[in-house]
């Protein structure tokens, strides 16, 4: 069994503004270690997959920066999308280029900017998923046991075991982000898992399902080169211009009968906002989490991040404080999700390019 990681790294990470910028979005920030998050994603696969077998799909504007962040991945396998069209065109592209890699080839679709630990259990779960994907010709999705009734995640309803005694189950349905009451019911019934966007499959199996359920995307693939190389950028221009904007969940996973869900045994967080850092860093005696230089006096529950210079606070509570060279953000911790709305407002300002 040979794993081929496909890391999706094209997001903008706007909820991590002002540290996250167009030229250096969330996946290129050292939020979990001293490495960019995309490098952390690759590193946690060590021992399961070689960087030489990895692919990274990002935006054309970020391609050079991603290559610098993960120099162990072959340059031609860092693919720059000319325009983002959600995940289905990217997954189809990867499956197309991975087809014919051998009967033991397993593709793993991974977001580039999530927290996953411990890495050893993550690798164990992926290895088990890969075996099931090959043996059953299935598309395995890793489901995260919910720790709270979160309305910001999609859910997967697990059905019966695929075989007696198996921990892998058939998928009854993919559920959209629920309202608060429904989310509570999902957590209580024990059948629903968070959809982390991690998929494991044989490339040919995914291509078969794309041909069946997303024929408009499948029809575009034959115009692509057999492998990336000379002429790839022009071919990608044509492909993405014609491809629909659609997620792999809508295009395939909600329609296929080959979906199998595995209950993940690792801790996971999508790091959706600055508030998520509360659980990532070491807290002081007052529940403060500090990255960089910060001096907090008579303060509690503060997330302070300095990208140069000193953050100082007196008598503050439950705040996010982020300082960069040209912007300082201050907001209540429970309103950190609203940073994206602030970014949308900034886009209308005259000096928007300098701030974004």
């Amino acid at each position: 069994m040979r794993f081929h990681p496909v890391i999706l790294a094209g997001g903008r990470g706007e909820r991590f503004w002002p540290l996250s910028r167009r030229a250096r979005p969330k996946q290129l920030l050292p939020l979990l270690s001293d490495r960019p998050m995309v490098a952390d994603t690759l590193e946690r696969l060590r021992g399961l997959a070689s960087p030489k077998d990895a692919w990274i799909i990002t935006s054309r504007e970020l391609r050079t920066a991603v290559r610098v962040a993960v120099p162990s991945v072959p340059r031609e396998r860092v693919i720059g999308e000319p325009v983002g069209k959600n995940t289905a065109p990217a997954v189809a592209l990867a499956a197309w280029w991975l087809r014919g890699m051998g009967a033991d080839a397993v593709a793993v679709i991974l977001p580039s900017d999530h927290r996953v630990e411990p890495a050893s259990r993550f690798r164990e779960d992926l290895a088990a998923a890969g075996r099931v994907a090959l043996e059953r010709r299935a598309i395995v999705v890793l489901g995260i046991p919910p720790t709270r009734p979160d309305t910001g995640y999609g859910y997967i309803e697990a059905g019966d075991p695929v075989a007696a005694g198996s921990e892998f189950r058939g998928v009854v349905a993919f559920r959209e982000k629920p309202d608060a009451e429904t989310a509570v019911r999902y957590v209580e019934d024990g059948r629903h898992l968070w959809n982390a966007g991690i998929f494991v499959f044989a490339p040919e199996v995914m291509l078969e399902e794309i041909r069946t359920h997303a024929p408009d995307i499948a029809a575009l693939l034959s115009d692509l080169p057999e492998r990336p190389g000379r002429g790839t950028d022009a071919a990608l221009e044509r492909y993405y211009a014609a491809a629909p904007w659609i997620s792999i969940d809508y295009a395939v996973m909600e329609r296929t009968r080959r979906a199998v869900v595995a209950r993940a045994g690792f801790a996971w967080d999508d790091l959706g906002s600055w508030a998520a850092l509360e659980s990532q860093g070491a807290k002081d005696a007052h529940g403060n989490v500090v990255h960089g230089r910060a001096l907090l006096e008579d303060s509690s529950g503060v997330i302070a991040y300095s990208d140069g210079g000193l953050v100082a606070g007196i008598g503050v509570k439950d705040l996010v404080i982020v300082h960069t060279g040209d912007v300082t953000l201050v907001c209540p911790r429970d309103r950190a999700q609203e940073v994206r709305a602030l970014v949308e407002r900034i886009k209308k300002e005259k000096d928007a390019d300098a701030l974004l």
Side-chain angles (χ1 to χ4, degrees):
M1 186 166 55
R2 186 170 181 175
F3 279 87
H4 298 267
V6 179
I7 300 173
L8 305 183
R12 292 176 293 179
E14 291 179 341
R15 290 192 182 97
F16 276 84
W17 183 86
L19 190 63
S20 178
R21 305 290 178 101
R22 287 171 177 167
R24 192 180 177 227
K26 175 183 168 188
Q27 61 270 28
L28 293 175
L29 298 178
L31 294 177
L32 297 178
S33 71
D34 57 357
R35 294 183 296 260
M37 292 191 72
V38 64
D40 282 332
T41 302
L42 187 65
E43 176 64 24
R44 72 174 62 104
L45 297 170
R46 184 181 293 274
L48 181 72
S50 167
K52 303 299 182 184
D53 288 328
W55 298 72
I56 300 180
I57 300 179
T58 185
S59 68
R60 187 166 291 176
E61 293 78 11
L62 295 176
R63 181 167 52 184
T64 298
V66 169
R67 284 172 172 167
V68 171
V70 284
S72 58
V73 176
R75 287 176 56 85
E76 68 275 10
R77 293 191 175 202
V78 179
I79 308 300
E81 296 178 306
V83 60
K85 288 291 186 78
N86 212 316
T87 54
V91 172
L93 179 70
W96 174 258
W97 275 332
L98 285 171
R99 78 196 194 288
M101 287 287 189
D104 65 342
V106 177
V108 183
I109 304 298
L110 297 167
S112 62
D113 53 4
H114 291 179
R115 178 183 70 88
V116 172
E117 57 186 25
S120 58
R121 180 55 191 267
F122 179 63
R123 292 190 293 270
E124 290 174 7
D125 284 0
L126 285 182
R131 289 190 292 270
V132 170
L134 291 181
E135 292 168 2
R136 304 190 68 86
R137 305 291 289 172
I139 301 174
V140 181
V141 55
L142 298 191
I144 311 298
T147 58
R148 59 187 182 275
D150 202 299
T151 60
Y153 297 148
Y155 288 71
I156 305 161
E157 183 178 355
D160 296 329
V162 297
S166 175
E167 295 182 0
F168 290 80
R169 294 178 176 270
V171 171
V172 175
F174 284 79
R175 307 292 188 189
E176 290 306 305
K177 297 175 181 178
D179 58 30
E181 182 179 347
T182 303
V184 170
R185 189 170 72 250
Y186 284 172
V187 174
E188 290 177 346
D189 69 22
R191 298 193 309 273
H192 287 80
L193 304 166
W194 286 337
N195 182 0
I198 302 173
F199 305 99
V200 183
F201 52 84
E204 288 81 3
V205 170
M206 178 59 78
L207 283 176
E208 289 171 7
E209 295 306 287
I210 289 171
R211 292 186 186 107
T212 299
H213 303 292
D216 50 345
I217 296 177
L220 303 173
L221 294 171
S222 59
D223 186 45
L224 294 169
E226 290 297 305
R227 293 288 183 270
R230 182 175 297 180
T232 297
D233 280 356
L236 289 178
E237 290 278 0
R238 296 189 295 270
Y239 174 72
Y240 277 93
W245 191 96
I246 188 170
S247 70
I248 194 64
D249 300 76
Y250 278 122
V252 173
M253 299 309 298
E254 293 187 2
R255 306 176 186 184
T256 182
R257 296 183 178 180
R258 301 168 89 165
V260 170
V261 63
R263 188 181 185 91
F266 50 84
W268 171 89
D269 195 304
D270 75 341
L271 297 184
S273 73
W274 282 110
L277 294 190
E278 178 187 8
S279 61
Q280 312 312 314
K283 297 180 182 179
D284 66 16
H286 303 286
N288 301 308
V289 177
V290 172
H291 292 257
R293 295 181 63 205
L295 181 61
L296 300 173
E297 183 72 22
D298 189 28
S299 300
S300 62
V302 175
I303 297 171
Y305 196 111
S306 174
D307 190 33
L310 174 69
V311 169
I314 300 174
V316 294
K317 182 178 180 181
D318 296 333
L319 292 180
V320 171
I321 307 172
V322 182
H323 175 69
T324 68
D326 58 347
V327 176
T328 299
L329 168 72
V330 181
C331 71
R333 205 171 60 188
D334 62 2
R335 298 186 65 180
Q337 289 281 357
E338 298 177 41
V339 169
R340 176 176 283 179
L342 189 62
V343 170
E344 290 301 314
R345 181 175 173 180
I346 291 170
K347 289 177 182 178
K348 301 175 184 177
E349 301 294 322
K350 291 182 179 180
D351 59 346
D353 287 343
L355 296 173
L356 300 174

